[in-house]
Amino acid sequence: MANTIHPISKLYSSLYTRHISTEHHPHFEVDLPENYVIHRKISGARMFILNREDKLNALNLGMIRNIGPQLKAWDVSSLAKVILLKGVGKGRLSTGDDVLDILTKTQSKDPDALYFFQDKYALIQMIATLKTPYVAILDGYALGGALGLFIHGPFRIATEKTIFAVPEITLGAFLNSGSSFYLPRMDGEIGTYLALTGNRLEGVDTFFTGIATHYIPSSRLAALEDKLIDLESSEHEIIHQVLEMFVDKKVVDKVGFKTETREMIDRCFSHDTIEEIIDALDHEKPSTWTRETKQRLLSVSPTSLRVTLKALRKGRTMSLVDCLKMEFDLIQKYMVTKDFHEGIYAAFVSKPRRKPHWDPPQLSGISDDDIDQLYFSEPSPNTLRLPSPYDLRKYPYSRFSLPTEEDVHSLLKKSEDRLKTEDIVKWFTDGYRGKWGVKEKILDILKRKTSTEKEGLVWIK
């Protein structure tokens, strides 16, 4: 093992040695003023409005504890027909977790640093298993840990202002909020690429890649809210039909990514080690994208790179709850590592902002075996305790998103006859009731993933 590696188990055991629970604690009510999350009831609609403008709606413990109990109450209320989540100010929806607050609490050995994730994961489980339709409006930043408040829900609205990224790796941190469940289930290796680079998706690209379920111009959101408020139905299909009424059926020149870029993402990021991914980039035709992507990988925390890739590969076959438990375990180990402190300090404390100094600074300083031993071989002191037994391996409302590559592949495998392009496009557009974006997505998938033979299309392995 490299000399720069420290026995993490000794470090974090001194910080978090007692178990935490979801029982009542006297400081719950005094963490934050309630108006950081505004609650509204209008007819059958219920709203959560993130209102921490000075921090771009960054999430902390008080906000999480503000949302959870009310969400539970609204979900069992027959009067609540639809639940909306949105943000105000320049940060709408949210720039993610308040990592500086988490770091400060970690340094002072305040258990609230860990309670934040405990309570947030309980909230994520609740959102993923809600019975009442839940609509998240991503009209601006939708970054990092904010993902937990929307990605596991049935309806996610993108606008031309939407900016999505999971930038934790650039901070020497680790994915959370169920990212290890969601990202590996994105088409091809898009999820791996986003997680390892921290790169952004914006606007309509978030819709075509599956981050959002609908693309609606920001100027139409007020009218959409009025329509949802007037609804007397809590049926998901009705909510979906209403959202489709406001969709912007714009002409696009790419479906998430340019074809060449998307093919390189799948080729390069399909490997199971960082070295193989970098080598694959070196073997692509040199371009701005390959150069910038390689430089990005070499500039972030080597430890975070290795841990993130391993967690993504493990998450492919795990349930949502198992992924949350894995993330909660890893977070405890990350909280006391030098890279976590260094990355946040360099980004948010240092004036001017500077490049972080990672430990180790290079991939050669820590091996995959080191990662297994330090992060995956021994459990952290605290296990995640969730208030509900509910779990899932597939999202119950995925039909409201665009079809996936796996959906197309499955159709080709099940069909007794060879299908042609027009057959497949018609099958999906009819099945999705003319949902905008389906035709464009199917044509893109067929262009990249099939070849044409005399009898019809064949999936390329």
Side-chain angles (χ1 to χ4, degrees), residues 144 147 151-152 164-168 175-196 201 209 211 308 311-313 315-316 323 327 395:
L147 175 150
I151 206 69
H152 309 291
F164 172 85
V166 279
E168 287 87 348
L175 298 172
N176 69 82
S177 300
S179 295
S180 62
F181 180 80
Y182 179 79
L183 293 175
R185 287 162 176 78
M186 295 182 73
D187 281 345
E189 297 298 333
I190 293 176
T192 306
Y193 166 73
L194 294 175
L196 296 184
L201 288 174
T209 53
I211 300 301
T308 298
L312 290 174
R313 296 301 185 245
R316 281 176 171 173
C323 284
E327 292 176 11
Y395 291 111

Side-chain angles (χ1 to χ4, degrees), residues 46-199:
R46 304 292 183 265
M47 294 185 189
F48 290 111
I49 305 173
L50 304 184
N51 187 42
R52 197 183 179 203
E53 293 189 52
D54 61 325
K55 296 291 186 179
L56 300 179
N57 297 333
L59 303 170
N60 56 19
L61 183 59
M63 297 169 76
I64 298 300
R65 287 175 172 169
N66 178 298
I67 296 172
Q70 187 61 72
L71 181 62
K72 183 177 181 179
W74 283 345
D75 192 38
V76 298
S77 170
S78 61
L79 299 177
K81 305 302 181 183
V82 60
I83 300 170
L84 285 79
L85 172 75
K86 65 178 184 177
V88 298
K90 296 180 180 180
R92 57 190 183 197
L93 178 69
S94 170
T95 52
D97 298 336
D98 189 341
V99 291
L100 185 57
D101 181 64
I102 293 170
L103 176 62
T104 301
K105 286 181 167 60
T106 300
Q107 291 174 332
S108 62
K109 299 185 179 180
D110 185 339
D112 278 357
L114 195 54
Y115 281 127
F116 172 79
F117 294 102
Q118 164 75 42
D119 289 18
K120 186 181 181 187
Y121 285 4
L123 178 59
I124 289 168
Q125 183 195 36
M126 191 188 310
I127 291 172
T129 57
L130 286 172
K131 296 178 181 178
T132 306
Y134 179 84
V135 180
I137 300 175
L138 319 179
D139 189 32
Y141 290 120
L143 305 179
L147 175 150
L149 299 187
F150 64 84
I151 206 69
H152 309 291
F155 301 112
R156 310 177 296 275
I157 299 173
T159 74
E160 72 280 5
K161 299 178 182 178
T162 301
I163 299 174
F164 172 85
V166 279
E168 287 87 348
I169 202 158
T170 66
L171 300 175
F174 171 72
L175 298 172
N176 69 82
S177 300
S179 295
S180 62
F181 180 80
Y182 179 79
L183 293 175
R185 287 162 176 78
M186 295 182 73
D187 281 345
E189 297 298 333
I190 293 176
T192 306
Y193 166 73
L194 294 175
L196 296 184
T197 63
N199 286 343

Side-chain angles (χ1 to χ4, degrees), residues 6 32 75 109 117 133 140 149 200 210 229 233 246 263 272 276 284 288 308 333 355 373 378 382 392 394 424 434:
H6 301 287
L32 280 175
D75 192 38
K109 299 185 179 180
F117 294 102
L149 299 187
R200 292 179 168 186
I229 288 169
S233 172
F246 292 85
E263 290 176 341
D272 293 332
E276 289 175 311
E284 293 288 340
T288 300
T308 298
K333 296 164 182 172
K355 291 183 178 180
Q373 181 176 347
E378 296 292 336
N382 300 285
L392 55 85
K394 294 183 178 180
I424 298 173

Side-chain angles (χ1 to χ4, degrees), residues 4-70:
T4 54
I5 305 303
H6 301 287
I8 290 179
S9 59
K10 293 181 181 179
L11 291 173
Y12 69 65
S13 63
S14 65
L15 180 56
Y16 298 117
T17 56
R18 62 189 181 90
H19 291 283
I20 63 177
S21 73
T22 55
E23 297 177 358
H24 178 81
H25 293 270
H27 59 278
F28 274 26
E29 292 82 5
V30 298
D31 289 325
L32 280 175
E34 185 174 324
N35 64 1
Y36 279 171
V37 182
I38 299 171
H39 303 177
R40 284 187 180 165
K41 297 181 184 180
I42 310 176
S43 298
R46 304 292 183 265
M47 294 185 189
F48 290 111
I49 305 173
L50 304 184
N51 187 42
R52 197 183 179 203
E53 293 189 52
D54 61 325
K55 296 291 186 179
L56 300 179
N57 297 333
L59 303 170
N60 56 19
L61 183 59
M63 297 169 76
I64 298 300
R65 287 175 172 169
N66 178 298
I67 296 172
Q70 187 61 72

Side-chain angles (χ1 to χ4, degrees), residues 344-407:
I344 295 174
Y345 193 90
F348 298 105
V349 180
S350 294
K351 303 296 182 184
R353 184 172 179 170
R354 61 172 175 80
K355 291 183 178 180
H357 304 296
W358 306 122
D359 181 20
Q362 297 177 335
L363 282 166
S364 58
I366 186 167
S367 69
D368 285 331
D369 288 340
D370 294 335
I371 294 299
D372 285 339
Q373 181 176 347
L374 293 172
Y375 291 91
F376 292 94
S377 62
E378 296 292 336
S380 296
N382 300 285
T383 57
L384 180 64
R385 288 176 172 82
L386 297 173
S388 166
Y390 295 129
D391 196 3
L392 55 85
R393 289 188 174 274
K394 294 183 178 180
Y395 291 111
Y397 300 109
S398 59
R399 64 185 182 276
F400 300 126
S401 301
L402 290 177
T404 65
E405 289 183 0
E406 182 55 36
D407 294 332

